[in-house]
């Protein structure tokens, strides 16, 4: 006799965010690969400008006191200083901190942070590409380098914190709105900077 099948577990919040933003995520991936950011150091310099704009606009979220209470250790995850160091490594000007993202509701921050931290997983591929340009974790590609404990562990810890939050249905929608806005912001930055 076969035991009855257990119901499939309810997907976690990050899985739901992934499902809700899959098309936007794929669109950004296609766009980034299409602008060939690792074809030359000149094109990589443009990519760094995109990264500076995106990560710089999130500085206020990573430094937010309430978000750091909700998501302990958040401030240490920001890659903005590493992006600035990468720009300096290549002898490029370091612009001022971009204007912070504007949220319509506090829970949108979760979607923005989900996109930013999720991009660190995809950065493994990008990091390998920088090595063809003679760059790496000590020079020029610091912001794409893996966390000392590894990308997967850092991501699992972040997902655990996000998934454990108790949110209303409206806040769940706001988190999705934030993720969609983050992908659109990044896509718009790529088009603006690469032309």
């Amino acid at each position: 006799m076969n035991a009855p099948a257990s119901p499939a577990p309810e997907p976690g919040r990050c899985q739901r965010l992934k499902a809700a933003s899959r098309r936007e995520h794929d669109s950004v991936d296609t766009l980034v690969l299409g602008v060939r950011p690792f074809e030359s150091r000149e094109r990589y310099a443009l990519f760094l400008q995109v990264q500076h704009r995106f990560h710089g606009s999130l500085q206020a979220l990573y430094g937010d006191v309430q978000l750091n209470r909700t998501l302990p250790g958040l401030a240490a995850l920001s890659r903005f200083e590493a992006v600035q160091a990468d720009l300096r490594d290549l002898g490029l000007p370091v612009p001022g901190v971009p204007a912070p993202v504007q949220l319509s509701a506090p829970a949108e921050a979760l979607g923005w942070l989900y996109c930013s931290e999720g991009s660190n997983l995809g950065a493994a591929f990008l990091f390998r590409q920088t090595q063809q340009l003679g760059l790496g974790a000590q020079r020029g590609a610091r912001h794409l380098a893996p966390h000392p404990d590894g990308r997967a562990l850092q991501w699992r810890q972040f997902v655990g914190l996000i998934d454990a939050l108790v949110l209303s249905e409206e806040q769940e929608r706001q988190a999705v709105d934030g993720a969609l806005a983050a992908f659109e912001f990044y896509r718009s930055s790529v088009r603006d900077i690469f032309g």
Side-chain angles (χ1 to χ4, degrees):
M1 182 184 292
N2 292 334
S6 300
E10 183 76 20
R13 178 168 296 112
C14 286
Q15 287 179 311
R16 295 192 300 273
L17 283 168
K18 180 179 181 179
S21 61
R22 183 179 310 277
R23 186 174 60 205
E24 287 75 12
H25 172 274
D26 292 348
S27 166
V28 166
D29 272 359
T30 300
L31 180 62
V32 169
L33 291 176
V35 297
R36 307 177 318 281
F38 306 105
E39 185 175 82
S40 66
R41 284 203 178 191
E42 291 73 24
R43 295 195 76 72
Y44 180 66
L46 296 174
F47 175 73
L48 281 178
Q49 291 175 40
V50 173
Q51 295 290 81
H52 182 276
R53 183 181 293 182
F54 181 73
H55 290 288
S57 70
L58 296 178
Q59 270 301 92
L61 297 185
Y62 279 97
D64 184 85
V65 173
Q66 184 57 48
L67 280 171
N68 274 276
R69 284 194 194 111
T70 304
L71 305 169
L74 177 65
L77 298 178
S78 172
R79 286 177 277 156
F80 184 56
E81 286 183 14
V83 173
Q84 292 176 307
D86 289 341
L87 285 164
R88 284 191 291 272
D89 286 344
L90 296 181
L92 300 169
V94 179
V97 179
V101 298
Q102 297 299 308
L103 306 178
S104 301
E108 287 183 8
L110 300 176
W112 280 86
L113 292 169
Y114 161 82
C115 286
S116 178
E117 290 307 306
S119 72
N120 203 22
L121 286 178
F125 168 77
L126 304 180
F127 183 63
R128 285 193 298 274
Q129 300 299 308
T130 65
Q131 293 167 5
Q132 298 172 20
L133 298 173
L135 306 173
Q138 304 303 315
R139 183 173 183 277
R142 302 164 200 265
H143 80 285
L144 297 173
H147 187 273
D149 295 331
R151 295 181 200 276
L153 177 60
Q154 181 183 4
W155 174 245
R156 282 195 303 271
Q157 291 170 342
F158 178 78
V159 166
L161 292 171
I162 294 283
D163 284 356
L165 298 176
V166 177
L167 300 180
S168 67
E169 283 187 27
E170 179 60 23
Q171 289 171 318
E172 294 276 2
R173 283 193 293 276
Q174 291 165 357
V176 169
D177 289 345
L180 298 178
F183 282 120
E184 177 52 35
F185 179 89
Y186 196 90
R187 192 166 43 232
S188 173
S189 297
V190 171
R191 289 175 177 147
D192 182 38
I193 290 171
F194 277 90

